Amino acid sequence: MIRPLLPAVVLVAAVLTGPSSADPVSAAAARFAGLAGDVSAADGAVFDARDDTGRTMDTAQIVQAPDGTYLAVYHTTLADGRFHAAVATSTDLRTWTRRHDFGAGTSQPALAADDTGGYVLAYEKDPANHIALRHYPSLAALLTGNAARTFDAPRTLSGCAEGTPDITSVHGGTVELTGHYRADCDTDRQLRAVLRDFTTWHATPDHRLDRALLAWDTGGNIGDRSRIELKGESLVLIEGQRRRGDFGSWRTYAYDPASGRAGREAIRTPGGSRAFANPSAGPVTDPEGRPALLVSLFVPKEESAPGESGELIYWRELAN
């Protein structure tokens, strides 16, 4: 979901249900629901997340560098009317210093460390919306935008748009990722892709994931997603739009890759916002030095409570 809106950051309480059952779809889904629970249970949260220049941090994805620095990649719509992806750093998850703008026409960024001390960045790039990847050999290279290798993926599943990447694995010269494609130039659906040696690209539709979301009557787009591991079990958080063109109908779901089932996150906020999109989650060491689960979601203005629209960032300590 790429529509830019005035941001704020909100806490989430989640209870998972299924199309015919109130039970979570997996143990990982149940654990996530407990960790991403009550507003008052969070160990920290930021509202209206912006970088030090005042840019909104829409669709933020956050990882942690080996030295403990938090790295956020996000996009903002600027005065030129275009998306600009950027990277910012923080030591407390509350204040963010923008370090580099990746340029006009870049959006939906995703970041992952490789196994050599470098980073791979993926984002959606326009015009001719497609997935682009950049390899940075070090943290310093990332923060200055000095890419060592670049790749702009050909659109092979849609003649109109492919984008919203999420990097699931970087090992050796192979990058595995997920994304969406505009099926029949009409509605966003899911894809999986592999990039080898920054030269060879192969993408396939992920019909199984689409079916799991369609079971929830998602008549609009199926878009951004984030794969996480909880207690050794995989879970995919994914956004689905119930009605085409209705930004207030975005919901966040938990998908179990083992069973192929999805459950909806019944999210609560202090004010009662109802729409949630662009989920991202992952483990970090929190500012107090404790293992924690960090979660971010985008809250569209439509169906949001006063003061709750925009990007949320919050974290919860991981109990043993």
Side-chain angles (χ1 to χ4, degrees):
M1 196 276 291
I2 60 172
R3 181 177 176 181
L5 295 167
L6 293 177
V9 177
V10 194
L11 283 172
V12 171
V15 177
L16 297 180
T17 61
S20 60
S21 173
D23 295 332
V25 295
S26 68
R31 181 165 170 77
F32 180 83
L35 289 167
D38 199 333
V39 169
S40 63
D43 295 307
V46 181
F47 290 76
D48 193 17
R50 296 170 183 263
D51 65 27
D52 62 321
T53 68
R55 288 190 185 185
T56 64
M57 296 177 65
D58 301 345
T59 73
Q61 186 224 349
I62 300 168
V63 300
Q64 195 166 18
D67 66 359
T69 301
Y70 303 106
L71 309 172
V73 289
Y74 54 96
H75 72 228
T76 312
T77 303
L78 298 186
D80 61 4
R82 302 183 71 190
F83 290 114
H84 286 245
V87 59
T89 58
S90 176
T91 59
D92 61 7
L93 290 171
R94 299 178 184 276
T95 57
W96 294 91
T97 301
R98 178 164 58 85
R99 305 299 294 271
H100 183 72
D101 181 322
F102 295 103
T106 58
S107 65
Q108 301 284 353
L111 184 67
D114 67 13
D115 48 10
T116 64
Y119 290 88
V120 174
L121 177 74
Y123 52 79
E124 186 169 339
K125 185 177 180 182
D126 69 51
N129 291 62
H130 61 280
I131 295 172
L133 294 98
R134 304 290 183 259
H135 178 247
Y136 301 91
S138 66
L139 178 58
L142 169 69
L143 299 181
T144 56
N146 187 18
R149 305 185 76 180
T150 68
F151 183 81
D152 282 54
R155 293 193 313 215
T156 59
L157 302 180
S158 171
C160 296
E162 297 179 12
T164 61
D166 180 56
I167 301 170
T168 57
S169 173
V170 182
H171 184 69
T174 300
V175 181
E176 297 180 5
L177 65 159
T178 58
H180 84 246
Y181 67 101
R182 183 60 58 90
D184 299 321
C185 291
D186 181 65
T187 309
D188 290 345
R189 293 293 183 257
Q190 296 298 292
L191 66 80
R192 292 175 294 178
V194 177
L195 175 63
R196 291 186 171 86
D197 298 321
F198 266 73
T199 59
T200 306
W201 173 264
H202 181 66
T204 58
D206 191 343
H207 296 307
R208 189 168 182 254
L209 180 50
D210 287 334
R211 286 194 297 269
L213 269 288
L214 290 170
W216 282 91
D217 195 27
T218 50
N221 293 321
I222 301 173
D224 202 3
R225 76 231 62 78
S226 176
R227 188 181 184 111
I228 61 173
E229 297 282 331
L230 290 172
K231 293 279 190 179
E233 187 174 296
S234 293
L235 182 71
V236 176
L237 303 175
I238 182 167
E239 62 175 2
Q241 187 183 36
R242 297 181 66 194
R243 295 177 294 275
R244 292 163 59 99
D246 180 359
F247 286 88
S249 70
W250 284 102
R251 301 292 184 266
T252 295
Y253 300 83
Y255 170 73
D256 174 28
S259 68
R261 296 173 57 228
R264 196 179 77 191
E265 296 284 344
I267 296 171
R268 303 190 312 270
T269 67
S273 295
R274 299 181 60 189
F276 302 91
N278 296 106
S280 180
V284 297
T285 300
D286 74 9
E288 302 300 321
R290 303 168 301 194
L293 179 69
L294 180 69
V295 181
S296 62
L297 289 170
F298 188 80
V299 184
K301 182 171 64 176
E302 296 85 347
E303 296 292 337
S304 67
E308 291 190 347
S309 64
E311 187 71 14
L312 76 84
I313 302 170
Y314 75 96
W315 56 99
R316 176 82 182 273
E317 183 180 1
L318 286 167
N320 292 330

